[in-house]
Amino acid sequence: MKKVQFFGMITAIFIFLLALYLPNSFYELFITKERLNNTAASLNPKTFQGTLLQDKMLTDPKFLPIFGSSELARRDTFHPSRFFMGEKNEFTPYLIGRGGSQSLVHFLDLASLGDGIKNKKIVFVLSPQWFIRRGINNTHFSPNYSALQTYSFVLNNTINRSIKEQAAKRLLTLSIIKKDSLLVTQLKALTSTNKKIKFKAFVEKPLAYTYFKILEKKDLFETVIMDPDKNFHLTKSKYEDLPWNKVAKAADKIGRSQSSSNHFGINNKYYKKYIQNRLVTFKNSKRNKSYSVSPEYDDLQMVLAVLKQEHTKALFISVPVNGPWYDYAGFPKKVREVYYKKVKKQIEDAGFQVADFSSHDYDKFFLKDTIHLGWKGWVYVDRSLNKFYSVNQTPPTASLNHNRY
């Protein structure tokens, strides 16, 4: 009887270890195209804080990953996820990010994907408000932090050593990282020459790897087995079959009617809820602000470095701010121009394309509020995405300029 129990226990342990250490590629076999379509626009944090669904998505050239932040949730009729839904369209946008998902968050995601992004096309939407003087703080980083992606980054030996060291130093400044002693040891070993720290990291590495495998299986359970997005659906835009100039006119008309209560071109509902009764308090409220100096530039440089290492073909979308509103708030155009030019040069110097829409910050209905794309802005972005996806080329150095149709 004891032999039978012992054999049963050994078998159970073997099955557990087999399930734990099976590669993700095995589980990807059970992820269908329908499952990926359901998650493509859901903006479920479990989806983009994991790796399993993204790994599978990247094997299908019909998906175009779009990394961004809160603008991705503005899914009006001109939003890419609704605009590119027809059978004639060649690609499906796959949204990755939410409010607070800035360069450092996306760096960890991209680094965790590794070879998955090699020679693939991705889109990266830049928000000017990321580039404040303090950069991303714990309030915005913590809810978007993925332990799975961070452990994947730490344990990935193919990432350039200098990139890993820079990222490790940056991560060690954040409070949520400091709470994970196992991770802290691994990060410190990347930045230190101290033999005791390196030996401790070496000893603990099997534990770190086992925890990483547990996080992978948690990702499997939450995103594939539970299938949280099975009932998520969007309605198709009725404008996608029109010529681009007519789509832009339709966006202009809708924007005009939906922002009739103010001269800033801000959506009526947003203006009434957040601005109307406090308008006077916003006057010159940004007069001492600037987007020209920020840790965000270094975080963005890490994104550029990992994309360059993987020969990823990336299009960066440079989103403007609402010019009339920023003028009212005391943040003049000449100060905004410093950011627009600086970030564009940084990206182009790394060899990537920029769809530069900075000249549209006075264009009515380009944004839906003070900072988020909407109406006509999405139309210009849609056109850039369509062109970028359709052109088969090596990682470019020239800038796209879609200032006019």
Side-chain angles (χ1 to χ4, degrees):
M1 187 65 179
K2 289 184 178 180
K3 288 184 178 180
V4 173
Q5 290 177 336
F6 178 75
F7 179 76
M9 183 177 67
I10 294 297
T11 303
I13 293 172
F14 173 77
I15 293 173
F16 171 76
L17 293 175
L18 180 64
L20 187 64
Y21 287 97
L22 271 175
N24 267 9
S25 55
F26 172 78
Y27 297 106
E28 287 175 20
L29 298 173
F30 302 98
I31 302 175
T32 63
K33 180 70 172 286
E34 181 182 7
R35 176 70 57 84
L36 292 176
N37 282 328
N38 289 343
T39 65
S42 70
L43 292 174
N44 187 330
K46 288 184 173 62
T47 299
F48 52 77
Q49 288 180 331
T51 58
L52 191 59
L53 290 174
Q54 288 189 65
D55 283 337
K56 180 68 173 182
M57 174 270 297
L58 287 166
T59 65
D60 189 337
K62 294 297 182 181
F63 289 103
L64 180 63
I66 302 178
F67 295 81
S69 53
S70 53
E71 73 285 333
L72 298 180
R74 271 64 179 177
R75 291 170 292 206
D76 62 33
T77 191
F78 302 103
H79 187 287
S81 291
R82 294 180 61 188
F83 196 79
F84 296 106
M85 285 182 70
E87 293 181 2
K88 70 166 191 164
N89 292 308
E90 297 179 348
F91 69 94
T92 298
Y94 199 96
L95 310 181
I96 301 169
R98 61 173 177 173
S101 297
Q102 297 179 204
S103 298
L104 183 59
V105 173
H106 289 311
F107 164 78
L108 291 171
D109 190 357
L110 292 164
S112 72
L113 296 172
D115 286 346
I117 58 171
K118 188 176 289 294
N119 297 314
K120 298 295 174 59
K121 289 186 176 183
I122 73 156
V123 176
F124 197 102
V125 185
L126 295 163
S127 296
Q129 66 274 13
W130 293 355
F131 294 81
I132 56 177
R133 187 169 295 274
R134 69 174 182 270
I136 191 170
N137 57 21
N138 288 297
T139 302
H140 289 97
F141 181 77
S142 294
N144 293 294
Y145 167 70
S146 167
L148 170 59
Q149 293 172 0
T150 307
Y151 271 89
S152 178
F153 152 71
V154 168
L155 297 170
N156 185 344
N157 294 321
T158 66
I159 297 176
N160 182 281
R161 178 74 188 186
S162 62
I163 300 174
K164 293 191 78 170
E165 184 176 340
Q166 181 184 353
K169 288 178 180 177
R170 180 74 169 100
L171 289 168
L172 285 167
T173 66
L174 298 163
S175 60
I176 194 168
I177 300 293
K178 294 175 182 177
K179 294 177 182 178
D180 187 340
S181 59
L182 188 62
L183 180 60
V184 166
T185 300
Q186 298 301 314
L187 291 170
K188 283 184 175 180
L190 293 172
T191 64
S192 174
T193 56
N194 187 294
K195 291 183 179 180
K196 288 185 178 180
I197 293 175
K198 288 191 172 296
F199 179 74
K200 184 180 180 183
F202 174 77
V203 171
E204 291 184 358
K205 197 163 189 175
L207 290 175
Y209 184 74
T210 299
Y211 183 53
F212 165 63
K213 301 307 289 185
I214 291 172
L215 290 172
E216 278 192 329
K217 299 310 169 284
K218 180 174 180 284
D219 179 30
L220 169 70
F221 177 77
E222 292 182 338
T223 63
V224 178
I225 296 175
M226 294 300 292
D227 193 10
D229 302 312
K230 60 183 177 183
N231 296 319
F232 179 83
H233 298 287
L234 285 177
T235 57
K236 171 185 171 181
S237 172
K238 64 180 182 179
Y239 301 103
E240 69 167 315
D241 295 325
L242 296 177
W244 286 111
N245 62 332
K246 291 187 177 181
V247 178
K249 287 180 180 178
D252 192 84
K253 183 178 180 180
I254 294 173
R256 191 179 304 278
S257 67
Q258 293 185 359
S259 62
S260 57
S261 64
N262 62 93
H263 66 278
F264 298 110
I266 295 173
N267 175 270
N268 291 330
K269 291 181 180 179
Y270 183 96
Y271 185 81
K272 182 178 181 180
K273 184 175 182 179
Y274 297 106
I275 296 175
Q276 185 170 285
N277 296 328
R278 302 168 53 208
L279 181 61
V280 67
T281 65
F282 289 110
K283 180 71 174 177
N284 292 323
S285 60
K286 293 183 180 290
R287 62 182 175 273
N288 297 318
K289 304 295 183 182
S290 169
Y291 295 150
S292 60
V293 178
S294 173
E296 190 70 28
Y297 289 100
D298 290 333
D299 294 344
L300 176 59
Q301 194 61 39
M302 292 192 298
V303 170
L304 297 171
V306 76
L307 292 177
K308 197 167 186 177
Q309 178 181 312
E310 299 297 340
H311 304 285
T312 307
K313 303 175 181 70
L315 171 67
F316 286 80
I317 307 289
S318 181
V319 177
V321 298
N322 183 321
W325 176 257
Y326 266 60
D327 287 345
Y328 178 80
F331 197 129
K333 184 174 178 59
K334 65 179 181 180
V335 179
R336 305 194 298 265
E337 286 288 345
V338 175
Y339 157 75
Y340 293 142
K341 292 176 181 177
K342 183 175 181 178
V343 78
K344 183 172 184 284
K345 184 178 187 301
Q346 181 180 2
I347 294 165
E348 289 184 336
D349 284 351
F352 295 102
Q353 294 186 43
V354 181
D356 180 12
F357 297 121
S358 60
S359 64
H360 291 276
D361 65 358
Y362 287 112
D363 193 346
K364 282 284 186 73
F365 324 125
F366 199 86
L367 301 180
K368 205 166 190 176
D369 46 45
T370 61
I371 55 176
H372 294 110
L373 284 163
W375 304 309
K376 197 154 57 176
W378 278 129
V379 178
Y380 279 79
V381 170
D382 290 340
R383 188 168 184 254
S384 293
L385 298 182
N386 190 61
K387 183 174 182 179
F388 173 66
Y389 181 85
S390 301
V391 176
N392 184 20
Q393 58 186 8
T394 54
T397 56
S399 168
L400 284 175
N401 190 350
H402 293 312
N403 292 336
R404 291 292 178 265
Y405 285 93

